[in-house]
Each structure stands twice: as structure tokens, then as C-alpha cells.
């Protein structure tokens, strides 16, 4: 097992990465929180697979486990209505400020369980138990929680750091290949952002081809460390944390323009390649840097570009919540392991997309 310690301005906590950690989850929750009572929040796909084992472990450690809450799986259920149901459920179960929410599942569960914990009684503790690669390497760490509005994804949320994150890579064995591949987009992004050696390893031995527990523990822990370094320095995304949006400006536009038929990580991978090629064309990075990004993305069977028209992409960029007046903060790679946020006008962004296609 590897432990990554995270210290943010609002809370310090450990992220535990290992195989078969669910067995000892209860003890770890007790140690990290001192809580006596908890409630597992999960969804209809993950609940049947792991919730019994999670609750067994919590009970074995002496915790009083309230009746579990299970919501319908899928991003389409990441809504204010589902959140309202969870909040009512916490109240019906009479959870107090001394108690803990255990969010068991992928990114949607982490977002919803985390936000419910952030709001209920003005904030109770949450332990994140991510069961998807994306949730392990990204969304369970750093305290972003949210639900979607009709106007867009993640438009209502809070920064609410967990008290503990337990990433049991054994749970990744039930993640379908396509979803696993999709999550690799964010893994490659982290490597481009901060870890040249990881990029080389991933290119040579794509994660999609070695889903063994040892490789997964190593890669997940390295990803968590990268994210930890960023969120510890900038919890609220005022500066450095924006670099985590590498590949996301174009990636989000591809995701929205494809009506969310393509996965988030797949779109980020394509966006990463577009921005890398554009940066090379502008002379901000060497052509070799862009080629290395593309090689790693391609090695994972992810797209290195998009067929969507530039006008179509620009229509969605204009709606991005991270846009400021007439500029967009675009994250550009300068070399592998070094990126920079640049405010670019929408016109310049259009030119960059054309260059990077
Ligand atoms: N996923 C980007 C962030 O946590 O800031």
C-alpha cells in the first residue's frame, strides 16, 4: 500500500492506494475520523458489487452503519433532485456532525456524496472510496464536489475536502475496458503536466495493457501525488490548480459538441493533442514534445484529434464556465513536465485550434 498525504488550507488527509483495502476500511475510517456512526452513499451499479463488503468492514471496526443510500447510476442523475434526496436521507437517518458519509463509487458518487456532506448540517465529514480509475486519479482527491444544472455540468458545488480517501485498485477489475481506457486520458494528462518518467513508462507500457494490481497501485499513487502537489498549493483554483485543466478547454468543447457520447477522458486526450500541436506550431514547445504527447495518447488507443469543425468547437468554448469575458485561460505545454496558463482571446483560441488540428 502507498500513502499520499495531502495538506490543503482547509484540511489534511491521507490517500491510501493499495489492493483489497476495503477489507480494512472500517479500521481506517475509525483511525482517521474517530467517528462512531456512518452512512454509505453509493449508486445502483457499484452498490451491489462492494457495498456489503464495505459495510461489513465498517461494522467489524465497531461503527454503527445507518441504512445505505443508493441512487440511480449515471451522470444524468447528478442533479439537484438526487442531491435533495440524499440530504433528506441523511436527515431521516439522523446523522450528526460527529458522523461520516462514506461515498462509494466513481466520480458521480464522489461528487454527490461529497456535496451532500458539504451541505448537510453546514458540513459533515466524508470518506471517499473511489471505484473507478478516473475517481482514483482525479476526482476523489482535492475536494471538488458538484452537481449538474440544465445549463451545464458541475455548475453547483463546493470545495469540501475528504477526511480520508481509500483507493482499492482491486475494485478496478470490474471496470469495463472502454471506461478504463477513457480514464487513461486524465492519467496521460497528469504525466504531461508533471512527470516525464511516467509519460515514458506509460508510452512504453500503456496502462490499458497492464491492469495488474502492482502497476495500478504505482500509477494511481503517482497520479495522486501529482494532484496533491497542485491542490496543496492552490486549493481553490486561483492559479496553479488551473493547470489541471490541460487539454480541457478543447476537450470540454469536443465532449459537449459530441453530446456527451464520447467519454470525458477520451475528449481530454484529444484536446491535449490539439493544444500540444498548436503549442508546437507557435514555438511554445518543441515539435518533439507534441509528438511525445500524441504517442502516449495513441498507445492507449485514445484519439489524437477530432473531426468536429472548428466553428462547432468554438460555439461550446464560448459557453465554458471557465471563460472570462473575452478570454480563456488555456493551459499550454512548454515541455513534458512543465505547463503554463495563458489568457488567450477567443480569436487566438480559434487560430490555435486550426493550427492544432
Ligand atoms: N479535476 C480538476 C481539479 O480537480 O481541479
Amino acid at each position: 500500500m502507498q500513502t499520499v498525504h495531502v495538506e490543503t488550507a482547509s484540511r489534511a488527509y491521507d490517500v491510501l492506494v493499495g489492493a483489497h483495502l476495503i477489507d480494512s476500511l472500517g479500521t481506517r475510517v475509525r483511525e482517521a475520523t474517530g467517528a462512531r456512526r456512518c452512512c454509505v452513499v453509493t449508486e445502483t451499479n457499484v452498490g451491489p458489487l462492494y457495498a456489503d463488503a464495505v459495510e461489513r468492514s465498517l461494522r467489524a471496526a465497531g461503527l454503527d452503519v445507518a441504512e445505505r443510500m443508493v441512487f440511480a447510476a449515471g451522470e444524468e442523475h447528478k442533479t439537484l433532485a438526487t442531491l435533495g434526496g440524499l440530504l433528506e436521507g441523511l436527515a431521516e437517518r439522523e446523522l450528526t456532525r460527529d458522523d461520516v458519509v462514506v461515498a462509494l463509487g466513481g466520480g458521480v458518487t464522489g461528487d454527490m456524496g461529497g456535496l451532500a456532506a458539504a451541505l448537510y448540517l453546514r458540513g459533515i465529514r466524508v470518506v471517499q472510496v473511489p471505484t473507478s480509475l478516473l475517481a482514483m486519479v482525479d476526482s476523489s482527491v482535492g475536494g471538488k464536489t458538484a452537481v449538474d444544472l440544465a445549463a451545464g455540468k458541475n455548475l453547483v458545488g463546493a470545495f469540501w475536502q475528504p477526511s480520508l480517501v481509500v483507493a482499492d485498485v482491486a475494485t478496478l477489475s470490474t471496470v469495463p475496458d472502454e471506461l478504463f481506457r477513457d480514464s487513461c486520458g486524465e492519467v496521460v494528462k497528469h504525466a504531461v503536466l508533471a512527470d516525464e518518467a511516467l509519460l515514458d513508462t506509460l508510452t512504453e507500457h500503456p496502462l490499458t495493457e497492464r491492469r495488474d494490481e502492482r502497476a495500478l497501485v504505482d500509477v494511481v499513487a503517482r497520479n495522486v501525488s501529482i494532484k496533491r502537489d497542485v491542490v496543496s498549493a492552490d486549493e481553490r483554483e486561483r492559479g496553479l490548480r488551473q493547470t489541471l485543466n490541460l487539454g480541457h478547454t478543447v476537450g470540454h468543447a469536443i465532449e459537449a459538441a459530441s453530446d456527451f457520447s464520447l467519454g470525458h477522458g477520451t475528449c481530454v486526450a484529444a484536446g491535449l493533442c490539439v493544444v500540444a500541436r498548436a503549442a508546437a506550431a507557435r514555438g511554445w514547445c518543441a515539435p518533439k514534445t507534441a509528438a511525445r504527447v500524441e504517442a502516449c495518447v495513441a498507445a492507449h488507443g485514445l484519439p489524437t484529434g477530432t473531426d468536429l469543425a472548428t466553428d462547432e468547437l468554438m460555439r461550446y468554448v464560448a459557453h465554458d464556465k471557465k471563460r472570462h469575458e473575452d478570454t480563456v485561460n488555456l493551459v499550454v505545454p512548454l515541455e513534458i513536465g512543465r505547463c503554463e496558463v495563458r489568457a488567450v482571446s477567443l480569436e487566438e483560441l480559434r487560430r490555435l485550434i486550426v493550427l492544432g488540428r
Side-chain angles (χ1 to χ4, degrees):
M1 182 184 86
Q2 297 195 32
T3 302
V4 181
H5 185 66
V6 182
E7 274 192 42
T8 66
S10 68
R11 204 190 298 273
Y13 54 96
D14 283 338
V15 181
L16 312 180
V17 185
H20 309 286
L21 297 183
I22 283 182
D23 302 341
S24 55
L25 178 70
T27 318
R28 298 179 194 284
V29 172
R30 278 299 289 259
E31 278 170 10
T33 67
R36 297 241 182 95
R37 193 147 189 270
C38 63
C39 180
V40 173
V41 172
T42 189
E43 40 87 322
T44 45
N45 288 338
V46 170
L49 296 173
Y50 303 115
D52 283 346
V54 161
E55 291 183 347
R56 235 185 344 264
S57 171
L58 293 164
R59 283 199 186 95
L63 279 136
D64 174 13
V65 181
E67 187 193 347
R68 112 179 36 143
M69 284 195 277
V70 186
F71 62 90
E75 179 83 25
E76 67 274 26
H77 298 290
K78 206 176 94 173
T79 59
L80 287 171
T82 312
L83 176 69
L86 292 181
L87 292 169
E88 293 290 355
L90 292 173
E92 279 160 18
R93 288 159 180 75
E94 299 181 354
L95 263 78
T96 72
R97 279 210 182 123
D98 296 328
D99 303 334
V100 177
V101 169
V102 177
L104 169 70
V108 172
T109 305
D111 268 5
M112 300 253 303
L115 185 54
L119 296 174
Y120 179 67
L121 302 180
R122 300 195 178 86
I124 70 170
R125 290 167 298 175
V126 62
V127 170
Q128 295 282 358
V129 186
T131 59
S132 73
L133 182 62
L134 188 65
M136 288 185 193
V137 300
D138 186 10
S139 53
S140 67
V141 180
K144 278 191 182 175
T145 68
V147 293
D148 302 335
L149 294 182
K153 283 176 72 172
N154 296 330
L155 292 187
V156 175
F159 287 97
W160 190 248
Q161 299 293 340
S163 296
L164 174 71
V165 181
V166 178
D168 182 346
V169 301
T171 62
L172 296 178
S173 63
T174 50
V175 173
D177 286 349
E178 272 319 297
L179 192 59
F180 186 86
R181 182 191 311 286
D182 180 65
S183 304
C184 290
E186 292 282 4
V187 173
V188 176
K189 178 205 78 177
H190 278 149
V192 174
L193 206 57
D195 194 334
E196 186 174 15
L198 178 61
L199 189 85
D200 289 341
T201 307
L202 289 170
T203 308
E204 226 172 293
H205 308 286
L207 201 53
T208 37
E209 286 168 23
R210 46 172 203 150
R211 287 175 62 167
D212 59 287
E213 288 173 352
R214 186 189 290 248
L216 288 169
V217 170
D218 182 50
V219 171
V220 170
R222 283 163 87 172
N223 274 262
V224 170
S225 299
I226 292 167
K227 184 144 187 195
R228 179 269 314 275
D229 292 347
V230 174
V231 299
S232 304
D234 175 24
E235 183 179 9
R236 298 214 155 221
E237 201 171 342
R238 304 214 198 282
L240 186 67
R241 190 164 182 167
Q242 290 176 25
T243 59
L244 293 174
N245 294 324
L246 177 64
H248 281 61
T249 302
V250 177
H252 276 155
I254 297 173
E255 205 179 351
S258 69
D259 204 17
F260 297 94
S261 60
L262 296 172
H264 176 73
T266 303
C267 298
V268 167
L272 194 57
C273 293
V274 171
V275 78
R277 283 191 296 265
R282 275 273 185 270
W284 296 337
C285 73
K288 177 95 200 308
T289 302
R292 288 174 74 190
V293 173
E294 286 176 313
C296 192
V297 166
H300 287 82
L302 290 164
T304 56
T306 176
D307 293 334
L308 291 160
T310 303
D311 281 347
E312 181 76 351
L313 296 176
M314 287 306 295
R315 217 182 355 265
Y316 288 98
V317 169
H319 287 118
D320 197 304
K321 70 175 180 297
K322 289 186 173 128
R323 185 167 73 83
H324 305 271
E325 294 284 308
D326 293 327
T327 61
V328 173
N329 283 343
L330 183 71
V331 188
V332 292
L334 305 179
E335 51 192 31
I336 302 300
R338 198 160 65 89
C339 296
E340 186 178 88
V341 181
R342 295 193 176 182
V344 298
S345 66
L346 290 177
E347 255 170 62
E348 169 67 350
L349 181 64
R350 171 189 289 277
R351 282 193 290 269
L352 289 170
I353 291 176
V354 171
L355 283 172
R357 297 189 67 89

